[in-house]
Amino acid sequence: MLIASYNPKQNGDILVVVLGETTGEQNVEYKNDIVTISETDNGEIIGYNFLNASHILPKLTDMNGQIDLNADDVTKLNDALKAQNLADNIVLDDDPKFVVGYVKSVSDHPKSDHLKITETEVNDGKSLQIVSGSPNMQANIKVVVAKVGAMMPDGLIIFPGELKGEDSNGMICSGRELHIPNAPQKPGALILPDNYEVGSEFDFDNASTLFE
């Protein structure tokens, strides 16, 4: 997993890099302009904060929100870590996180009267079990899937999880959750037109006209 975000108005010149989910207490270590966040119990590094980040990645100037890191960016961040004798363990993740999915099947959740358990095909023909509370959930529809490792427009990060005891590996999104212009401001999966290709990366720019 590799998620990067940058919000200079709120946080200053700090690049937040997330490598994994927090599952317990955190250990925070400062070394010059780099903050390392790790799990207290096992020492696993789950993220970094790079202070004065625009000195490492000049492209951050005038950017805000989630940052798409390329191979060159990852190299520069790892070089900054090595310069402080820190673990250079940031690995490029260029797998699309918002994709067109196809809901193959829907079943009732055994412990909920409103949740549904879906088998949803995503890219490379792979299917995921995703629990959804969308009132319009049904089989044989095309939807937008936020895969594990996605950052939603509101900053929510999608981690593996479970809902009432059932595994859920991703999120089937509404137009409202995706911040698509003019999307209905109510719950309900965004059902895509049939011309969307299952497994393709969801194009937010092209989707801006879906509700015109």
Side-chain angles (χ1 to χ4, degrees):
M1 178 182 295
L2 176 60
I3 299 173
S5 65
Y6 185 70
N7 187 339
K9 290 184 178 180
Q10 179 174 337
N11 301 324
D13 189 14
I14 299 175
L15 179 71
V16 177
V17 175
V18 178
L19 303 180
E21 182 179 12
T22 300
T23 58
E25 293 186 4
Q26 297 179 5
N27 184 46
V28 179
E29 296 182 2
Y30 292 77
K31 192 165 186 181
N32 295 323
D33 283 347
I34 299 176
V35 180
T36 303
I37 303 100
S38 60
E39 294 278 12
T40 300
D41 58 349
N42 59 19
E44 180 182 354
I45 296 173
I46 55 175
Y48 296 101
N49 290 343
F50 290 87
L51 285 62
N52 298 312
S54 62
H55 295 172
I56 303 171
L57 300 180
K59 79 174 193 178
L60 293 176
T61 303
D62 298 326
M63 298 185 76
N64 184 75
Q66 185 172 7
I67 305 299
D68 292 326
L69 298 176
N70 58 35
D72 183 58
D73 298 331
V74 169
T75 297
K76 290 177 179 177
L77 293 175
N78 278 325
D79 285 345
L81 292 170
K82 287 189 290 185
Q84 300 299 328
N85 295 315
L86 298 170
D88 55 330
N89 60 343
I90 300 178
V91 178
L92 178 67
D93 181 2
D94 56 3
D95 179 48
K97 294 299 184 286
F98 292 91
V99 299
V100 177
Y102 175 73
V103 181
K104 298 168 64 175
S105 66
V106 176
S107 59
D108 292 333
H109 193 296
K111 297 180 180 179
S112 172
D113 59 2
H114 74 280
L115 295 177
K116 302 291 184 181
I117 301 172
T118 78
E119 180 185 2
T120 301
E121 182 180 342
V122 292
N123 47 327
D124 301 322
K126 180 181 179 181
S127 292
L128 301 174
Q129 177 170 296
I130 301 176
V131 179
S132 174
S134 296
N136 61 340
M137 187 51 58
Q138 57 188 294
N140 303 316
I141 58 174
K142 292 181 179 180
V143 295
V144 181
V145 174
K147 297 167 59 179
V148 168
M151 176 181 280
M152 299 295 292
D154 65 0
L156 174 70
I157 296 175
I158 305 300
F159 291 110
E162 62 176 43
L163 288 173
K164 293 186 177 293
E166 295 291 335
D167 290 340
S168 186
N169 293 296
M171 177 179 176
I172 296 175
C173 305
S174 68
R176 176 182 61 176
E177 291 164 332
L178 296 169
H179 290 194
I180 295 176
N182 303 314
Q185 297 302 296
K186 61 182 182 180
L190 170 59
I191 300 177
L192 296 171
D194 195 54
N195 62 335
Y196 276 73
E197 181 181 353
V198 175
S200 63
E201 182 173 4
F202 181 67
D203 189 326
F204 281 84
D205 291 334
N206 285 342
S208 64
T209 61
L210 281 172
F211 295 100
E212 287 186 346

